[in-house]
Amino acid sequence: MSQELSTHYQHILVGLGENPQREGLLDTPKRAAKAMQYLCNGYHKSLDEVVNGALFESDNDEMVIVRDIELYSLCEHHLLPFIGKAHVAYIPTGKVLGLSKVARIVDMFARRLQIQENLTKQIADAIQQVTQAAGVAVVVEAQHMCMMMRGVEKQNSVMTSSVMLGAFRESCNTRHEFLTLIGRSK
């Protein structure tokens, strides 16, 4: 754990008017530093490390979808959480990605300071890079604490972002099938 990060949290407590020496706050700087390092551990992972060779030969050329992958990230503007789920699809061209690797790719990018729009694109680009798929689609839905706890204080707002690559961008039918299968098309 970074002593420097812990020291910064101690300064934040003082700046807020708190006494970091009071009983309830004695270990807070260390705990906060450790939590922040965990919440941002995506900076210390690479796509190659996350995929770890889990790409398998397959003659399947039909859509593969992993729905409802929960994600937890931090807004890069306020350092407040946004929490939601990702839906990821791709159309294989000779290789399929190990199922857990899709979720690990989502986590790798979510565990960085982010904005949801970039997160969605990073996931799609990574899946495309790894699989060389005919198309990739990603939809992320999340609630943002920066909008719920402060500012406009809108408790029920959900942000949806999407990125469509290849066949999902070029074919309305392919895109519609994906959106129907994840329950987002009426």
Side-chain angles (χ1 to χ4, degrees), residues 65-144:
I65 302 174
V66 184
R67 289 181 354 160
D68 299 323
I69 304 166
E70 63 270 356
L71 64 86
Y72 307 92
S73 193
L74 292 173
C75 162
E76 66 185 36
H77 299 141
H78 301 100
L79 301 182
L80 290 172
F82 64 94
I83 301 164
K85 55 189 169 182
H87 313 287
V88 179
Y90 67 98
I91 300 172
T93 56
K95 294 192 182 281
V96 293
L97 184 58
L99 179 60
S100 71
K101 303 309 180 183
V102 176
R104 290 181 191 281
I105 289 169
V106 170
D107 283 346
M108 179 180 77
F109 290 111
R111 295 294 184 169
R112 299 174 183 185
L113 300 179
Q114 279 289 8
I115 62 172
Q116 183 175 327
E117 300 90 335
N118 290 350
L119 172 61
T120 309
K121 184 166 179 6
Q122 289 165 352
I123 295 165
D125 288 345
I127 298 291
Q128 177 64 46
Q129 179 184 333
V130 169
T131 65
Q132 297 299 304
V136 174
V138 177
V139 171
V140 173
E141 303 168 292
Q143 291 187 287
H144 293 250

Side-chain angles (χ1 to χ4, degrees), residues 14-35:
V14 170
L16 293 172
E18 266 292 356
N19 173 7
Q21 299 307 310
R22 76 173 171 85
E23 182 183 6
L25 295 177
L26 278 175
D27 290 328
T28 296
K30 289 178 196 166
R31 285 191 301 265
K34 188 175 179 181

